[in-house]
């Protein structure tokens, strides 16, 4: 399965079922093995039909951007019971590291 977060979710009714039509700021916080398995299956077996594959997803909507920086690492920490998760793994949403990433995309070192 996959555990994910989003800032906003839009839905609609299709054939009497509620479906997600749009996710804003969607982020998978746990489920790397699942997504990698699907990716590598499609890559190795080009004729594999993944359109009938359904993957369970636990989605948490976090509307407050400041709260997101606190909650996403906690969600990831507690959703991941198969593998050891280090504090470094949980720091990608840290505002400091986001700023460093943004700087690294704008500044070039020769």
């Amino acid at each position: 399965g996959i555990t994910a977060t989003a800032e906003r979710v839009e839905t609609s009714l299709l054939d009497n079922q509620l479906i997600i039509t749009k996710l804003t700021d969607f982020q998978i916080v746990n489920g790397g093995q699942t997504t990698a398995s699907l990716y590598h299956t499609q890559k190795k077996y080009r004729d594999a039909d993944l359109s009938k594959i359904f993957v369970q997803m636990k989605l948490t909507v976090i509307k407050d951007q400041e709260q997101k920086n606190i909650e996403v690492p906690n969600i990831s920490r507690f959703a991941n019971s198969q593998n050891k998760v280090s504090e470094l793994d949980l720091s990608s949403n840290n505002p400091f590291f986001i700023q460093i990433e943004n700087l690294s995309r704008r500044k070039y070192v020769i």
Side-chain angles (χ1 to χ4, degrees), residues 42-108:
Q42 186 68 59
K43 191 170 176 125
K44 186 173 182 178
Y45 305 102
R46 297 232 181 254
D47 58 340
D49 181 14
L50 298 182
S51 68
K52 295 181 181 20
I53 301 293
F54 289 88
V55 176
Q56 180 181 4
M57 178 178 68
K58 182 181 356 175
L59 179 64
T60 303
V61 178
I62 305 173
K63 296 179 181 180
D64 181 355
Q65 196 67 17
E66 288 183 27
Q67 193 67 23
K68 176 183 159 187
N69 294 329
I70 297 167
E71 293 302 328
V72 168
N74 286 333
I75 292 167
S76 183
R77 180 181 292 113
F78 297 119
N80 196 336
S81 59
Q82 292 179 336
N83 300 313
K84 182 179 183 297
V85 178
S86 73
E87 287 304 310
L88 184 60
D89 295 331
L90 302 172
S91 63
S92 64
N93 284 319
N94 181 301
F96 173 77
F97 292 119
I98 292 171
Q99 187 176 13
I100 293 293
E101 179 186 11
N102 290 335
L103 281 171
S104 74
R105 295 184 189 280
R106 289 187 309 223
K107 303 288 182 186
Y108 294 97

